[in-house]
Amino acid sequence: MSQSNEQRLADFMHGLKLRNPDEPYFHQAVYEVAKNILPFIHQHPEYQEAMVLERLTEPDRIISFRVCWEDDERNIHVNRGFRVQHSNSIGPYKGGLRFHHEVTVDLFKFLAFEQTLKNSLTGLPMGGGKGGSNFSPRDKSDREVMRFCQSFMNEMYRHIGPDTDVPAGDIGVGAREISYLFGQYKRLANKFTGVLTGKGLAFGGSLIRTEATGYGAVYFLQDAMAVKDRQIDGQTAIVSGSGNVAQHAIEKLIDLGAKVLTASDSDGFIHDKHGFDEDKLAFLKELKNERRGRIKEYADEFGCDYHADKTPWQVDCDIAMPCATQNELCEDDARALLKNGCKAVSEGANMPTVQAGVDLFLDAKIIYAPSKAANAGGVAVSGLEMSQNSMRQTWERSELDGRLRSIMQDIHDKCRQYGEGKDGIDYVQGANIAGFTKVADAMLAYGVM
Ligand code: NDP
Ligand code: 2IT
């Protein structure tokens, strides 16, 4: 990077931090984008003159509200709900809801900003948003989760709509939570519309939506490996997480012939030297989705190693797929992966790698598929769910999987177009520029707002 690009980045980040103090996630996400976009807009002064990046790093609006609910013992709890409506330049706000005890406005600002660029990459007409609550469904009964979701929607419903803002799931928000949320929206608004995605198949949900994020991250990896004449078959893979994204990344990796050695939750990870097979994956799904148990029970069931309070990144592998949470892969983890022979990283989670780790992967020139490109399959199929709802039609599984496959290939190719240099493909640069230009062009067209 030339001195002036470095200076531009430093100046930009200085201003952003002054405007958004104490928001390290948001700073991290914007830094990773601005690093690529500032040199790009220096070459395209129309974006600079219109202050597009400054405008794009200021959310359209942030909504915060009180959520009261009663537990099974009739104790009253007060949580906080959020929705960051980041940008509706190219479509209604669209993005998941996260229910987790550690959420903050900072977290949702980073996720909503990333979502805007990710959704742009899908090629579908969706803006970006994100929200949720500092409520954790863990250790709550179904009825408690239901009462919380209904109370959350009592306020949320006035801010969303099929042409306004269309939430979906994320950490802690799966099929059960979406069903309760949708039921309450329908009751309050007296409308049956595609206001949420990830719905059950009986009430407007789409086939392949459950699988889409994990499958999509593996499809992206498949295309990136094909550029180097390599394939997934016969590779060893390590995966973190054991929720929606991890389960379906593991499923597709196995399907394509990889040996998957690990899975994790917030208590630790299992290391299964024989690798997952269909039966073991079925056990994991039942454990996590039905019994809502801990990953240690997998080790107890199959007699493999369990490492409490550890992440899987020290395990030898060809492929690593972080599919749990942000900043779960630190600088030392990235060093260990490279030292142990990892040749490809595809991110199912959002921003799972710290910036220093990203820099190490880019310097080492391994395949590094950043989250906003690699995990876009989930929201892409959400976009297809919205289309089906609008048309009051349902498409078949093979049709939807085919569309997901081709959307991921298209995202890969766009990233390649903007990220290919003499040393290979920088997918971070490619994803950032390709995602940015579509949103930026719409903003230019609208004038100053
Ligand atoms: P789930 O709630 O289904 O699963 C989350 C998994 O991550 C669980 O195994 C959970 O363990 C683990 N986890 C959560 N927080 C932490 C933490 N602080 N430290 C360690 N492990 C943690 O969520 P999803 O699978 O849907 O989401 C996973 C990631 O993928 C997130 O980053 C999400 O933003 C991203 N994503 C999800 C999409 C989707 O369609 N669902 C789409 C695109 C991205 P535990 O049960 O112990 O909490
Ligand atoms: O991070 C994400 O892309 C998601 N949680 C999915 C969002 C969606 O609207 O399907």
Side-chain angles (χ1 to χ4, degrees), residues 98 100 118 138 170-172 209 213 241-245 264-266 288 294 323-325 348-350 375:
R98 181 176 294 193
H100 190 271
K118 181 196 308 193
R138 191 169 156 182
D170 193 82
I171 291 178
R209 176 61 190 90
T213 311
S242 49
N244 171 273
V245 180
S264 70
D265 63 20
S266 51
K288 285 293 176 182
R294 310 307 300 158
C323 296
T325 194
N350 282 307
N375 75 28

